[in-house]
Amino acid sequence: MGFYKHPCGIMSTIAHILQCVSSLIVLGITAWAVRGTKTLTVIFPLVVAVLTPIVYAITLSTSCISRGHRWHVLPLLLTDAVISYLWLTSFIFLALNFNQVSCTVHLWNNETVCSRKYSVEAFSFIAFITTVGAMGFEVLYTYLPMKDTSMQEKENGVTRLDHNLRGAGVMTP
């Protein structure tokens, strides 16, 4: 059973979809905010939100091409590790900047934007949590015991190894 048919792979794919949707929401809000405010707090989450779907498209295609190998989950694990720290950093930047200022202060484009501030902060946290969750499912898939297909192939209800050992006289019938 391949990664994308395994329950851990399905859950990881669902987490990646949620992460990409969250990153697109963060992208939209921060792209609106960057028109008037060009601070690190706005630009860093914007860059992370742009990179996330692009990097995952490349990583998932690499993983799908190499799925005949046991290490085909490794690009996903490495990408999740890097992207999770980027999302955590962007969430911290957003939380530090926005939670120190009250909603009466016009921080972005001289408008009161508390709902947008809290939305971008919440969706950056959702992107971080789903990335960590996907990474957890990929690690779980990697460490689950895999059945050896050569040992499990059956002929007439008897495994080939048993059949061979009985034929060689090592095992009694």
Side-chain angles (χ1 to χ4, degrees):
M1 179 184 308
F3 176 69
Y4 297 105
K5 293 180 182 176
H6 194 272
C8 290
I10 293 170
M11 293 302 293
S12 174
T13 304
I14 290 170
H16 284 293
I17 290 170
L18 289 173
Q19 177 200 24
C20 285
V21 168
S22 296
S23 71
L24 291 176
I25 293 170
V26 171
L27 172 66
I29 295 172
T30 54
W32 168 83
V34 82
R35 292 180 304 148
T37 307
K38 293 182 177 26
T39 62
L40 179 65
T41 305
V42 177
I43 294 174
F44 187 79
L46 177 66
V47 171
V48 173
V50 168
L51 287 177
T52 298
I54 295 169
V55 167
Y56 275 112
I58 294 168
T59 304
L60 287 174
S61 61
T62 303
S63 179
C64 286
I65 290 171
S66 64
R67 75 180 145 180
H69 302 288
R70 177 80 172 125
W71 54 268
H72 74 280
V73 181
L74 185 63
L76 286 171
L77 280 169
L78 293 175
T79 303
D80 281 339
V82 171
I83 295 291
S84 68
Y85 286 114
L86 291 176
W87 276 115
L88 180 63
T89 305
S90 73
F91 172 72
I92 290 170
F93 280 160
L94 292 169
L96 287 176
N97 190 27
F98 296 157
N99 293 339
Q100 293 176 354
V101 180
S102 69
C103 287
T104 58
V105 175
H106 306 294
L107 187 60
W108 286 356
N109 301 335
N110 295 325
E111 298 177 20
T112 305
V113 289
C114 288
S115 62
R116 292 179 185 144
K117 292 189 314 186
Y118 295 140
S119 296
V120 75
E121 189 176 341
F123 281 106
S124 67
F125 184 73
I126 290 170
F128 165 69
I129 288 297
T130 55
T131 307
V132 171
M135 187 169 49
F137 285 118
E138 291 156 9
V139 167
L140 184 64
Y141 172 79
T142 304
Y143 285 106
L144 282 176
M146 296 292 167
K147 296 177 182 175
D148 188 10
T149 56
S150 64
M151 293 293 291
Q152 297 299 321
E153 295 176 12
K154 294 192 174 196
E155 290 180 2
N156 299 329
V158 180
T159 61
R160 287 185 182 176
L161 181 60
D162 288 345
H163 182 69
N164 290 341
L165 289 175
R166 286 184 184 133
V170 177
M171 290 179 61
T172 58

